[in-house]
């Protein structure tokens, strides 16, 4: 019985680094979507053309430095909830037609 107990203890220590590594990988792949959000400030809202101008920080998922630029929005209704001067968090993707805001959250 003592041999089995010793084996179990040794096995536990042998697999601990693997279990820790797997847990860290799982946490990294299940990172919240908010990690892709960028903070910015609304500079202009153009509902007719479904475009928005945002002064933003670095957009990490696009490797883009901080600047002010015009984006398309995926859904025109996004523009109904914001106005010039609002602080926002947003997600943008690069598509064939340009940069498109897919998620927009007011920081009111």
């Amino acid at each position: 019985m003592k041999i089995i107990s010793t084996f179990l203890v040794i096995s536990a220590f042998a697999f601990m680094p693997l279990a820790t590594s797997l847990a860290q990988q799982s946490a990294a792949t299940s990172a919240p979507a908010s990690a892709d959000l960028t903070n910015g400030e609304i500079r202009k809202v153009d509902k007719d053309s479904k475009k928005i101008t945002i002064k933003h920080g670095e957009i990490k998922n696009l490797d883009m430095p901080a600047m002010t630029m015009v984006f398309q929005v995926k859904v025109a209704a996004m523009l109904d909830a914001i106005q010039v001067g609002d602080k926002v968090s947003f997600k943008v993707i690069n598509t064939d037609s340009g940069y498109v805001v897919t998620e927009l959250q007011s920081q009111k």
Side-chain angles (χ1 to χ4, degrees):
M1 189 60 109
K2 185 175 180 180
I3 293 173
I4 293 173
S5 296
T6 303
F7 175 76
L8 291 175
V9 170
I10 291 171
S11 296
F13 281 109
F15 289 107
M16 191 178 300
L18 176 61
T20 302
S21 176
L22 291 174
Q24 289 171 344
Q25 287 176 358
S26 176
T29 57
S30 64
S34 63
D36 289 338
L37 294 179
T38 301
N39 293 324
E41 181 179 334
I42 304 301
R43 296 297 191 171
K44 182 178 179 182
V45 177
D46 185 347
K47 291 183 181 183
D48 294 333
S49 63
K50 288 178 43 177
K51 293 185 179 179
I52 186 170
T53 304
I54 305 175
K55 179 181 179 184
H56 62 80
E58 177 185 9
I59 302 176
K60 293 181 182 181
N61 64 310
L62 297 176
D63 196 27
M64 181 184 292
M67 65 178 79
T68 300
M69 66 182 290
V70 178
F71 297 98
Q72 299 171 40
V73 292
K74 183 175 181 178
V75 180
M78 291 176 158
L79 302 178
D80 294 336
I82 57 161
Q83 58 187 351
V84 172
D86 283 355
K87 304 285 186 197
V88 295
S89 293
F90 67 100
K91 180 176 182 180
V92 62
I93 59 172
N94 190 4
T95 68
D96 291 338
S97 62
Y99 294 108
V100 178
V101 174
T102 60
E103 187 176 337
L104 185 63
Q105 302 171 359
S106 179
Q107 299 299 313
K108 293 181 182 179

